[in-house]
Amino acid sequence: LGGVLLSALQASAATIVPSERARAKGDSGQGNAAARLVSDRLIGWGVVFGVVLCAVQLASVPLIGLFTTVPAVREAAVQPAVIASLMQIINGVVFVGEGIMMGCGSYKALAIQTTFGASAMVASLWYSSISGGGLTG
């Protein structure tokens, strides 16, 4: 459900920012300034959505017990659930930022950032596997 909300915010940013840029450009020649104001507001909403999703996920961590009766599994699932919850704050901002970049047609920069992000993930997984780490460290 959280992903759907953030995707909707991303699509809104991809639509609203360029339309505001074009509208204000025709009215007063201040298209970029108007688009920045809208972008700032949308990023603020991204933070709000991220914090709310984080709070909801953190509040639902005790519900892990509904899915398993094995105490070791319950205990092992808490730390990844908390980490995933805290990542929602970052996700809120990132989804809006990606939407803004798509709306402005900044596909090359978006592709480069995505490549760096995916590379960092692969490097982290590789390091974790050779160092004996895992979800709990």
Side-chain angles (χ1 to χ4, degrees):
L1 182 62
V4 172
L5 293 173
L6 293 178
S7 292
L9 199 55
Q10 180 184 41
S12 297
T15 305
I16 293 170
V17 171
S19 65
E20 183 64 22
R21 188 176 183 191
R23 185 186 64 78
K25 192 177 207 178
D27 291 345
S28 61
Q30 299 297 321
N32 289 336
R36 278 191 197 100
L37 289 173
V38 170
S39 297
D40 290 345
R41 190 174 15 194
L42 286 166
I43 288 172
W45 278 108
V47 171
V48 169
F49 273 59
V51 168
V52 168
L53 289 173
C54 174
V56 168
Q57 281 188 298
L58 284 174
S60 65
V61 168
L63 299 176
I64 291 172
L66 296 174
F67 299 99
T68 181
T69 58
V70 180
V73 173
R74 287 181 182 179
E75 186 178 321
V78 170
Q79 187 177 8
V82 170
I83 291 169
S85 298
L86 295 173
M87 299 262 321
Q88 291 301 323
I89 299 170
I90 297 168
N91 289 343
V93 176
V94 169
F95 270 69
V96 172
E98 287 178 349
I100 292 168
M101 291 178 77
M102 286 188 287
C104 292
S106 301
Y107 297 111
K108 182 178 179 182
L110 187 58
I112 290 169
Q113 290 176 354
T114 302
T115 301
F116 279 122
S119 299
M121 180 192 67
V122 169
S124 297
L125 291 171
W126 174 78
Y127 179 74
S128 179
S129 70
I130 65 166
S131 66
L135 290 177
T136 57

